[in-house]
Amino acid sequence: MRNDDLPRRLFLARTGQFLGLTIASPYWARGQQPPGADPFTLGVASGDPLPDGVVLWTRLAPDPLHGGGMPRESVEVEWQVAGDEQMSRVVQRGRATATPDLGHSVHVEVGGLEPGRWYWYQFRAGPHRSIVGRTRTAPDPKLALDRLSFAFASCQHYEQGLYTAYQHMAEEDIELVVHLGDYIYEGGVARDRPRQHNSAEIISLDDYRNRHALYKSDPHLRRAHALFPWIVTWDDHELDNNYAAAISENDAPREQFLERRANAYQSYYEHMPLRRTSMPSGSSLRLYRRLAFGDLAEFSVLDTRQYRTDQPCGDGTKPQCAEAFSPEAALLGGEQEHWFLDGLQRSNKRWNIIAQQIMMAKVDRGRDEPAFSMDQWSGYEVARARILNFLHERRISNPVVLAGDIHSNWVTDLKLDFADPGSPTAGSEFVGTSISSGGDGADADPRAEGLYAKNPHLRFFNNQRGYVRCVVTPKQWQSDYRVVDYVTKPGSGIKTTASFVVEPGRPGPQRA
Ligand code: FE
Ligand code: CA
């Protein structure tokens, strides 16, 4: 794919006038970079919108796939925010320092903006200007908001498919993108795939940086970042397949794995539009947080990886052993779970969106004997029951769970007792498919019939690539399952393969 294939309008708006006419950093003054070495190769992004501001992100990397190509010194970056795409009505401007310790990433927390409106932004470093990005502030929290539209996505294995889904997402009438994890994959190079990874399995900080940079070399991904603010959380592959807290996939020594975790977490921060509250500290990074949109909706963004206990029963998809029912088994950890439930209890928003990684419903995926994924909430029965009971008993207003991880589309009723179809429904769940992981997929899937037969709370299953577009109003939630026909070659169109609605006060998605 070439950049030329993209609509160019947004990318060509380079007319903004920066006021800092003096060259701010000795680095640029010394002219160590050839004039053509654009440091903005990774694009721009914004995220975590508040009513008065948003995070603006970029990372200076003139040589993105080889450590970035910046010297070990700090560099000044100028930024500005404007009310128009031509950057002529500048409303905020400032300077930020890109430090080598954080890979010359820049995270600007802009304040003083007006709620619920679009803005445009641009960076400058020395003689170089970034493209102009577009972002949007959250509405006033007291506003009776009549509509919120967003798309959620996950699982974008670079080798397994092209980001055609993002190409189409750019055309959607949405205000926000929510990413539920597997933004990168840590594995080495595989053969016979549409694209290739740039190294063996990633371990070091440089490895992780180069991998993030490879993923951001995709123009459709960069464009989706440049067009909308994103709310991101991670799953396992940002570090290591199916890890649990300090336990790696292949049981690496704890200290060694925590060192790797520090590399992965730091690099994640460096490449995402996250606030200072998510600044990594050693091998920890606080990712769980809340974001509100008027009186209409609140996102509880969860992290089901960093604090979980090990997958029970030896992981995998299998019958549940006793370990899956252990009261000590945790997905959120005590502190996060307390924060989460406390927030739900306090929320006065109409829709309470739980944005997290893994399928919450209990879905039997077995052929002959029952089989449940031990990496999902079904490996953590007591924790799941605690949360679903809480949603039901405390009458939390319209809980909607979003998930990714399993590279397929699912819609479920979250039952208090999944074994009893007559049991109350505590919430609605929408699991979104992958952007590219798993390759083309197919509309007809031989597993579907058995899945529906064994799981009466399963409303929809589909194995194609894409994302889910959600339009939320006070009267209705609608999820449109947007799918592409193929990802192993460019050019697929996109269509809505199914739509589901949820009515307030009536948990459980209904086919639209
Ligand atoms: Fe995945
Ligand atoms: Ca995953």
mmCIF file of all heavy atoms in Angstrom, residues 20-37:
data_model
loop_
_atom_site.group_PDB
_atom_site.id
_atom_site.type_symbol
_atom_site.label_atom_id
_atom_site.label_comp_id
_atom_site.label_asym_id
_atom_site.label_seq_id
_atom_site.Cartn_x
_atom_site.Cartn_y
_atom_site.Cartn_z
ATOM 1 N N GLY A 20 7.021 29.972 17.303
ATOM 2 C CA GLY A 20 8.404 29.825 17.775
ATOM 3 C C GLY A 20 9.353 29.792 16.591
ATOM 4 O O GLY A 20 9.699 28.731 16.089
ATOM 5 N N LEU A 21 9.774 30.954 16.159
ATOM 6 C CA LEU A 21 10.579 31.000 14.944
ATOM 7 C C LEU A 21 12.038 30.668 15.206
ATOM 8 O O LEU A 21 12.759 30.248 14.320
ATOM 9 C CB LEU A 21 10.469 32.388 14.295
ATOM 10 C CG LEU A 21 9.034 32.698 13.802
ATOM 11 C CD1 LEU A 21 8.933 34.139 13.335
ATOM 12 C CD2 LEU A 21 8.618 31.752 12.697
ATOM 13 N N THR A 22 12.453 30.859 16.447
ATOM 14 C CA THR A 22 13.816 30.455 16.767
ATOM 15 C C THR A 22 13.855 28.940 16.838
ATOM 16 O O THR A 22 12.893 28.299 17.240
ATOM 17 C CB THR A 22 14.252 31.010 18.135
ATOM 18 O OG1 THR A 22 13.286 30.585 19.098
ATOM 19 C CG2 THR A 22 14.334 32.496 18.126
ATOM 20 N N ILE A 23 14.946 28.379 16.454
ATOM 21 C CA ILE A 23 15.068 26.934 16.529
ATOM 22 C C ILE A 23 15.325 26.565 17.981
ATOM 23 O O ILE A 23 16.290 27.002 18.603
ATOM 24 C CB ILE A 23 16.183 26.435 15.593
ATOM 25 C CG1 ILE A 23 15.709 26.646 14.153
ATOM 26 C CG2 ILE A 23 16.487 24.978 15.854
ATOM 27 C CD1 ILE A 23 16.729 26.282 13.115
ATOM 28 N N ALA A 24 14.394 25.775 18.531
ATOM 29 C CA ALA A 24 14.360 25.595 19.973
ATOM 30 C C ALA A 24 15.445 24.680 20.501
ATOM 31 O O ALA A 24 15.875 24.813 21.623
ATOM 32 C CB ALA A 24 12.982 25.066 20.367
ATOM 33 N N SER A 25 15.892 23.738 19.711
ATOM 34 C CA SER A 25 16.836 22.756 20.245
ATOM 35 C C SER A 25 18.180 22.842 19.548
ATOM 36 O O SER A 25 18.249 22.936 18.334
ATOM 37 C CB SER A 25 16.286 21.345 20.034
ATOM 38 O OG SER A 25 15.214 21.116 20.870
ATOM 39 N N PRO A 26 19.244 22.783 20.328
ATOM 40 C CA PRO A 26 20.567 22.779 19.718
ATOM 41 C C PRO A 26 20.718 21.637 18.721
ATOM 42 O O PRO A 26 21.419 21.748 17.723
ATOM 43 C CB PRO A 26 21.513 22.565 20.907
ATOM 44 C CG PRO A 26 20.705 22.751 22.137
ATOM 45 C CD PRO A 26 19.275 22.675 21.780
ATOM 46 N N TYR A 27 19.993 20.548 18.998
ATOM 47 C CA TYR A 27 20.086 19.377 18.125
ATOM 48 C C TYR A 27 19.784 19.729 16.680
ATOM 49 O O TYR A 27 20.537 19.387 15.774
ATOM 50 C CB TYR A 27 19.115 18.300 18.624
ATOM 51 C CG TYR A 27 18.915 17.175 17.653
ATOM 52 C CD1 TYR A 27 19.978 16.321 17.330
ATOM 53 C CD2 TYR A 27 17.693 16.963 17.038
ATOM 54 C CE1 TYR A 27 19.806 15.288 16.435
ATOM 55 C CE2 TYR A 27 17.512 15.938 16.142
ATOM 56 C CZ TYR A 27 18.567 15.097 15.838
ATOM 57 O OH TYR A 27 18.393 14.085 14.956
ATOM 58 N N TRP A 28 18.685 20.466 16.491
ATOM 59 C CA TRP A 28 18.335 20.819 15.118
ATOM 60 C C TRP A 28 19.294 21.872 14.572
ATOM 61 O O TRP A 28 19.636 21.847 13.401
ATOM 62 C CB TRP A 28 16.896 21.324 15.042
ATOM 63 C CG TRP A 28 15.909 20.337 15.570
ATOM 64 C CD1 TRP A 28 15.219 20.427 16.731
ATOM 65 C CD2 TRP A 28 15.532 19.084 14.986
ATOM 66 N NE1 TRP A 28 14.426 19.313 16.899
ATOM 67 C CE2 TRP A 28 14.597 18.477 15.842
ATOM 68 C CE3 TRP A 28 15.910 18.418 13.801
ATOM 69 C CZ2 TRP A 28 14.025 17.235 15.575
ATOM 70 C CZ3 TRP A 28 15.327 17.193 13.531
ATOM 71 C CH2 TRP A 28 14.393 16.607 14.417
ATOM 72 N N ALA A 29 19.716 22.800 15.455
ATOM 73 C CA ALA A 29 20.618 23.860 15.018
ATOM 74 C C ALA A 29 21.939 23.291 14.494
ATOM 75 O O ALA A 29 22.519 23.812 13.552
ATOM 76 C CB ALA A 29 20.882 24.824 16.175
ATOM 77 N N ARG A 30 22.396 22.206 15.130
ATOM 78 C CA ARG A 30 23.652 21.608 14.682
ATOM 79 C C ARG A 30 23.516 20.928 13.333
ATOM 80 O O ARG A 30 24.509 20.539 12.732
ATOM 81 C CB ARG A 30 24.129 20.561 15.709
ATOM 82 C CG ARG A 30 24.726 21.181 16.962
ATOM 83 C CD ARG A 30 25.592 20.179 17.722
ATOM 84 N NE ARG A 30 24.898 18.942 18.020
ATOM 85 C CZ ARG A 30 24.127 18.758 19.099
ATOM 86 N NH1 ARG A 30 23.957 19.735 19.954
ATOM 87 N NH2 ARG A 30 23.531 17.606 19.295
ATOM 88 N N GLY A 31 22.246 20.735 12.925
ATOM 89 C CA GLY A 31 22.019 20.155 11.601
ATOM 90 C C GLY A 31 22.495 18.726 11.476
ATOM 91 O O GLY A 31 22.973 18.310 10.423
ATOM 92 N N GLN A 32 22.377 17.960 12.583
ATOM 93 C CA GLN A 32 22.874 16.590 12.513
ATOM 94 C C GLN A 32 22.011 15.704 11.621
ATOM 95 O O GLN A 32 22.477 14.726 11.073
ATOM 96 C CB GLN A 32 22.947 15.993 13.916
ATOM 97 C CG GLN A 32 24.118 16.576 14.707
ATOM 98 C CD GLN A 32 24.219 15.998 16.086
ATOM 99 O OE1 GLN A 32 23.253 15.472 16.613
ATOM 100 N NE2 GLN A 32 25.388 16.115 16.678
ATOM 101 N N GLN A 33 20.720 16.061 11.546
ATOM 102 C CA GLN A 33 19.853 15.287 10.670
ATOM 103 C C GLN A 33 19.907 15.881 9.279
ATOM 104 O O GLN A 33 19.884 17.091 9.129
ATOM 105 C CB GLN A 33 18.404 15.362 11.169
ATOM 106 C CG GLN A 33 18.108 14.440 12.328
ATOM 107 C CD GLN A 33 18.198 12.980 11.914
ATOM 108 O OE1 GLN A 33 17.861 12.623 10.799
ATOM 109 N NE2 GLN A 33 18.694 12.160 12.806
ATOM 110 N N PRO A 34 19.965 15.040 8.264
ATOM 111 C CA PRO A 34 19.796 15.588 6.912
ATOM 112 C C PRO A 34 18.421 16.236 6.819
ATOM 113 O O PRO A 34 17.472 15.765 7.449
ATOM 114 C CB PRO A 34 19.895 14.358 6.013
ATOM 115 C CG PRO A 34 19.742 13.170 6.906
ATOM 116 C CD PRO A 34 20.153 13.598 8.271
ATOM 117 N N PRO A 35 18.282 17.321 6.096
ATOM 118 C CA PRO A 35 17.036 18.078 6.061
ATOM 119 C C PRO A 35 15.835 17.225 5.692
ATOM 120 O O PRO A 35 14.721 17.472 6.118
ATOM 121 C CB PRO A 35 17.280 19.143 4.988
ATOM 122 C CG PRO A 35 18.744 19.177 4.781
ATOM 123 C CD PRO A 35 19.309 17.867 5.222
ATOM 124 N N GLY A 36 16.047 16.167 4.935
ATOM 125 C CA GLY A 36 14.921 15.345 4.501
ATOM 126 C C GLY A 36 14.483 14.314 5.524
ATOM 127 O O GLY A 36 13.519 13.601 5.310
ATOM 128 N N ALA A 37 15.199 14.187 6.643
ATOM 129 C CA ALA A 37 14.890 13.123 7.588
ATOM 130 C C ALA A 37 13.720 13.514 8.476
ATOM 131 O O ALA A 37 13.880 14.110 9.538
ATOM 132 C CB ALA A 37 16.117 12.789 8.435
#
